[in-house]
Amino acid sequence: QVSADVPFMAAGGAAESRDAVTWFRLPSSCIPFKALGLEPQALSPGLTNLGNSCYLNAAIQCIASTSSVAELTLCAHAAAARSAFAAAFADLISSLQTTRSGSRSAMRLIQCVGALDDRFSSGTQEDAHEFALALLGLLHDTLNRTGSKDPPLELPEVTPCSRHKLEAAGCPTSMVEEVVASQCWRIGLQREASIVTDAYQGQTRTRNHCRQCQYSQVRFEPFLDLSLCTISDTGPLGTLADVLTATFNRASAVSWHCPQCQIDVSAGQTCSLWKLPPTLMVYLKRYDGCSSAKLGHSVEVPMELDLTPWVSPSSRQKVDPLYELVGVVEHEGNSLRHGHYTAQARRGGVWHTFDDSRVTSSGSVPHLRHDRVTLAFYQRRGDGGALVRQDPETPATWPHAHPAEWGSTLHSM
């Protein structure tokens, strides 16, 4: 997240204060995919390399291939008069969606991004994942429907005390965690709600269990992407399924300050997926944190992904967690700051390889280089091609099953 006092670049190049921005509000609960009158073409344009810009070119091409990009672009168009960044994003994505072949330039967009986030202002090669998160974060800040700049509120947790209160109010034991998770979601939407969170935000469940006093605590946290280690104690992991299995629904030992013992203890911790977004961004960590050396082993990324095994068994999903691959960022090279990024992405049912301005088609099936994939974009099936505008006061728009009669009990916690 970029701090609230970072300036926007005005159309003439001057900086304008974020305080001057009028926050854009969506006109309806759902925005149809064809609202822009845009349809991906069989051939898609590339992006000119502006000097070490392959990382951002690859990330942009993948984001432009998700089904949520039309809604993102529509909202950015509506905010264009208030934000040069939103205008630059909308214009670039529209040109990638509506024109055939040739090459476009992301210069205007990267100048706006660089003015808001100095990591991308020097012209050096950066990480495609960091850029994708920064780009989506800036879009979220610009299009945040709440207009709030207040710090995040404290989220409730499932503890023996909160569990007892809910059960005493009539909440079935099997629904306690869902009710608390939905309250966490509502609190989050009071501060952070945009077309970006509608598309990309999910929720995880983490349980800590003290091995000394048996006290347990469950917390729920939002995410915009899944950042996953590709190695484990046993060595390199060879498939995305292996990576997910090493991360979720697996007990591990951690140091934790037990609220009941009031000391640091060795606790058991289990993390699982709780709610999943329409568009899922998966980052495969391929770099040694100490030396930035690349981990070059193959991690097979499937065309279809069923996340059911890694979703908490007690979490209900309104839409089945079945996903299909729509884009990947690949990196060729030996370290984080060197090498070359390319993308493979699906447009209009046709897979393309985007190597800056050079674009080739691979037909209905991509030729993935699994030892190079570092970022994968998945689209959930069954969403109907539209995003639901989530509102903190309308539980039906959330991904949770939220019985309203227990809400007052949560408010009093």
Side-chain angles (χ1 to χ4, degrees), residues 116-148:
L116 297 165
D117 188 334
D118 59 12
R119 289 178 299 170
F120 307 104
S121 63
S122 64
T124 59
Q125 178 162 298
E126 303 297 337
D127 180 45
H129 171 244
E130 291 180 359
F131 178 80
L133 281 181
L135 183 65
L136 293 174
L138 290 170
L139 280 170
H140 166 73
D141 289 347
T142 306
L143 304 174
N144 192 342
R145 296 188 289 267
T146 72
S148 174

Side-chain angles (χ1 to χ4, degrees), residues 156 166 171-172 174-187 189-190 203 274-275 315-318 390-411 413:
L166 281 170
C171 179
S174 62
M175 286 295 295
V176 167
E177 291 192 3
E178 179 76 345
V179 172
V180 175
S182 66
Q183 176 73 346
C184 292
W185 196 265
R186 182 188 70 83
I187 290 173
L189 290 177
Q190 290 176 336
Q203 191 177 43
W274 192 259
K275 298 302 176 188
S315 177
R316 303 179 184 182
Q317 303 296 309
K318 289 185 177 179
Q390 299 185 44
D391 181 87
E393 304 308 323
T394 312
T397 63
W398 312 345
H400 301 74
H402 184 274
E405 62 266 26
W406 300 318
S408 59
T409 304
L410 278 170
H411 283 298
M413 289 182 179

Side-chain angles (χ1 to χ4, degrees), residues 101-231:
S101 67
S103 182
R104 306 294 175 262
S105 172
M107 175 64 78
R108 183 172 159 222
L109 177 62
I110 189 57
Q111 287 178 335
C112 291
V113 171
L116 297 165
D117 188 334
D118 59 12
R119 289 178 299 170
F120 307 104
S121 63
S122 64
T124 59
Q125 178 162 298
E126 303 297 337
D127 180 45
H129 171 244
E130 291 180 359
F131 178 80
L133 281 181
L135 183 65
L136 293 174
L138 290 170
L139 280 170
H140 166 73
D141 289 347
T142 306
L143 304 174
N144 192 342
R145 296 188 289 267
T146 72
S148 174
K149 298 177 183 178
D150 296 330
L153 295 173
E154 184 176 354
L155 299 179
E157 298 172 336
V158 179
T159 64
C161 180
S162 63
R163 185 181 293 276
H164 174 74
K165 284 186 177 181
L166 281 170
E167 291 174 348
C171 179
T173 299
S174 62
M175 286 295 295
V176 167
E177 291 192 3
E178 179 76 345
V179 172
V180 175
S182 66
Q183 176 73 346
C184 292
W185 196 265
R186 182 188 70 83
I187 290 173
L189 290 177
Q190 290 176 336
R191 294 287 191 271
E192 310 286 349
S194 72
I195 195 71
V196 175
T197 55
D198 294 339
Y200 285 88
Q201 182 169 278
Q203 191 177 43
T204 59
R205 170 192 184 270
T206 302
R207 178 179 182 266
N208 290 321
H209 178 77
C210 178
R211 294 170 175 173
Q212 294 188 21
C213 71
Q214 309 309 310
Y215 181 92
S216 67
Q217 181 185 75
V218 177
R219 68 178 188 272
F220 299 92
E221 296 174 306
F223 68 84
L224 284 183
D225 75 316
L226 296 180
S227 295
L228 307 174
C229 292
T230 61
I231 56 174

